Amino acid sequence: QVQVVESGGGLVQAGGSLRLSCTASGSIFSINTMAWYRQPPGKQRELVAHISTGGSTKYLDSVKGRFTISRDNAKKMIFLQMNNLKPEDTGIYYCNITGVERFLEGGATILQGFGSWGQGTQVTVSS
């Protein structure tokens, strides 16, 4: 089983910065995509930033130029540097990781795809 834990959220004034971190642990064989989503109050969850195995990135239009996603494959971590924060960035930020996990079953080694979410971390930007 793969666990994902986010940290780094908090309360910040508009124009400020926060850095979110996400760590994956468990029986991970390999990691494919890593991404940050957010859910603003009363709205649906949306993709904020995505980074592929090769390092290519994709951002929500409203955060381009302000947010930067990065990953540390060796530590199984991803980060989201958020600068020039705006009140509309307020929400719960979730980390999502996909990959392959490895485990033993009946004496055989099993490789199985996974997609795991963290519990979320609250980001609040005051005006």
Side-chain angles (χ1 to χ4, degrees):
Q1 190 173 359
V2 177
Q3 295 82 40
V4 175
V5 178
E6 305 98 337
S7 61
L11 172 64
V12 64
Q13 288 188 331
S17 298
L18 284 174
R19 179 176 168 87
L20 305 183
S21 299
C22 170
T23 303
S25 62
S27 53
I28 298 171
F29 178 75
S30 64
I31 292 177
N32 296 330
T33 61
M34 306 178 93
W36 288 98
Y37 288 73
R38 71 184 179 191
Q39 187 163 15
K43 297 183 179 180
Q44 291 187 330
R45 192 174 298 190
E46 60 185 359
L47 177 64
V48 175
H50 169 280
I51 185 166
S52 70
T53 304
S56 60
T57 57
K58 182 188 301 182
Y59 295 94
L60 183 67
D61 284 346
S62 62
V63 308
K64 286 180 180 176
R66 300 187 297 120
F67 290 11
T68 302
I69 187 172
S70 60
R71 61 191 282 173
D72 184 329
N73 291 326
K75 295 182 178 179
K76 301 183 180 61
M77 296 184 71
I78 60 167
F79 308 94
L80 187 67
Q81 178 65 43
M82 306 185 293
N83 298 326
N84 190 23
L85 282 159
K86 303 177 180 181
E88 52 264 41
D89 294 318
T90 294
I92 301 174
Y93 283 69
Y94 298 90
C95 175
N96 177 263
I97 297 177
T98 67
V100 177
E101 60 178 327
R102 175 174 58 190
F103 56 92
L104 295 177
E105 186 173 280
T109 297
I110 306 297
L111 297 179
Q112 179 174 284
F114 74 89
S116 295
W117 293 91
Q119 81 289 348
T121 185
Q122 177 70 46
V123 171
T124 303
V125 184
S126 62
S127 57

